[in-house]
Amino acid sequence: MPNLLKQLELEELSLVDRPANAQAMVSLFKRDTSGEDMTEEVEKMSDDMKAKLKPYMDKGMSEDEAMKAYNMDMKKSDDDSEEAEVEKAEEETAEPSELDLLKAENERLRKSLIENGFVIRAEAIEKKAEVEMIEVEGEMVAKSDIPTPVLKALEALAIEKADVELTKRAEATLPHFETKVAKELLKFDLGEEVMAALKAADKLFEGTMVEFGKSDADGNFASANDKMEALTKAYMEEHNMKKSQYALAYAAVAKTDEGKALIAKSYKGE
């Protein structure tokens, strides 16, 4: 087994308290070479070291001056690195100052305001305006994205659609009330007790009303509501109106003197 190593190049030789090989021996020679020509040493340098010295030598330094300048820069770099590590450690262990705490709180409040829809300006904090939406063929679209003429037409259509739906709801919920009155009542968010009372009243109306079109012995309609209903249907037929336009026809009849009189009688129970 070989026990003699030759032609070794040692990059570092350290003195330690517990060596791995206590029997190892080394002969060390050191002499002061300052002022001597370093050409021979430079020739022995690795290509990596020569590359490191080249920027210094390009500035007109000799090989000796380049080596000294390089060593000084390396020492300064090590010192700066140690100082930076010390400062970093001090920053990590130091308690935050009052200013740091205020900055953190300010950032927390700023994020909270933005997340809740506020706009932060230099002069004030304002609530961000909500985007107005409108339903178009089952999809919600921002009103700002729709041309004004088209938007007006869509809004009018939406109003008409809502009125038709309210009319159907009124006729289904309070069928024996005057439709216009029922619609006005159902526009409000009525509680369960109020709705129960209205339905009970509607039930009473059912018992006092006669079938539409039925007249008394003299050929007159049995009630003002019957007469109003007949006038409304006649108005719709005369003006070729659709069933969905019942509310418009009723409103037109209600504006006439006869319509006003019939409505007054219906309220009196006549």
Side-chain angles (χ1 to χ4, degrees):
M1 181 177 178
N3 57 11
L4 182 62
L5 302 178
K6 297 181 178 180
Q7 296 181 351
L8 292 179
E9 232 181 81
L10 299 179
E11 294 183 356
E12 181 180 349
L13 183 64
S14 302
L15 296 176
V16 296
D17 54 348
R18 296 179 62 189
N21 185 358
Q23 304 301 322
M25 300 180 64
V26 62
S27 298
L28 179 65
F29 299 91
K30 186 175 181 181
R31 61 176 294 190
D32 183 8
T33 58
S34 60
E36 295 183 3
D37 188 7
M38 296 183 65
T39 304
E40 187 177 348
E41 280 191 37
V42 173
E43 288 177 355
K44 293 179 182 179
M45 289 180 188
S46 64
D47 293 338
D48 183 50
M49 180 57 72
K50 289 179 180 179
K52 291 177 180 178
L53 294 182
K54 188 175 183 304
Y56 298 93
M57 297 178 69
D58 289 344
K59 295 179 181 179
M61 295 183 183
S62 64
E63 294 157 348
D64 186 18
E65 291 171 340
M67 178 62 77
K68 288 181 179 179
Y70 171 76
N71 289 334
M72 288 180 64
D73 287 345
M74 289 299 295
K75 186 176 184 304
K76 183 179 179 182
S77 176
D78 292 340
D79 292 343
D80 292 342
S81 178
E82 289 179 4
E83 289 180 4
E85 289 180 2
V86 171
E87 289 178 359
K88 183 178 180 181
E90 290 177 350
E91 289 177 358
E92 291 176 351
T93 56
E95 294 184 359
S97 64
E98 184 176 354
L99 179 60
D100 293 334
L101 293 174
L102 289 174
K103 287 181 178 179
E105 179 65 12
N106 179 69
E107 182 63 19
R108 186 187 69 79
L109 291 173
R110 189 184 72 84
K111 288 183 178 179
S112 178
L113 287 170
I114 293 174
E115 289 173 357
N116 286 279
F118 286 87
V119 178
I120 302 175
R121 306 185 188 280
E123 63 279 2
I125 298 175
E126 302 173 352
K127 181 70 174 177
K128 187 177 180 180
E130 295 183 3
V131 179
E132 292 189 57
M133 309 291 286
I134 187 171
E135 184 177 351
V136 180
E137 295 183 355
E139 294 185 7
M140 300 306 294
V141 181
K143 289 186 176 181
S144 57
D145 295 338
I146 303 174
T148 302
V150 178
L151 178 61
K152 288 183 178 180
L154 289 173
E155 289 177 338
L157 184 62
I159 293 172
E160 184 178 349
K161 181 181 178 182
D163 185 71
V164 171
E165 291 176 353
L166 181 60
T167 300
K168 290 181 180 179
R169 184 178 164 218
E171 291 175 348
T173 307
L174 303 171
H176 301 98
F177 270 73
E178 184 183 345
T179 306
K180 181 179 179 182
V181 176
K183 286 169 61 177
E184 287 298 325
L185 290 171
L186 294 180
K187 283 181 180 179
F188 300 98
D189 185 15
L190 304 175
E192 292 182 3
E193 293 183 2
V194 177
M195 281 303 303
L198 289 173
K199 288 181 179 180
D202 184 76
K203 195 71 176 174
L204 290 174
F205 290 159
E206 181 182 8
T208 60
M209 291 182 179
V210 294
E211 183 181 352
F212 171 74
K214 185 177 179 181
S215 60
D216 56 17
D218 297 330
N220 298 320
F221 287 94
S223 69
N225 279 334
D226 290 341
K227 180 64 175 177
M228 192 68 185
E229 187 79 8
L231 289 174
T232 302
K233 288 188 175 292
Y235 184 91
M236 292 176 68
E237 290 177 3
E238 182 182 351
H239 294 84
N240 296 322
M241 298 177 74
K242 297 178 181 178
K243 212 171 183 182
S244 60
Q245 295 176 304
Y246 176 86
L248 296 176
Y250 188 97
V253 174
K255 290 179 182 179
T256 65
D257 293 338
E258 186 178 6
K260 292 177 182 178
L262 288 171
I263 290 173
K265 286 183 179 181
S266 68
Y267 285 150
K268 295 177 182 179
E270 299 178 4

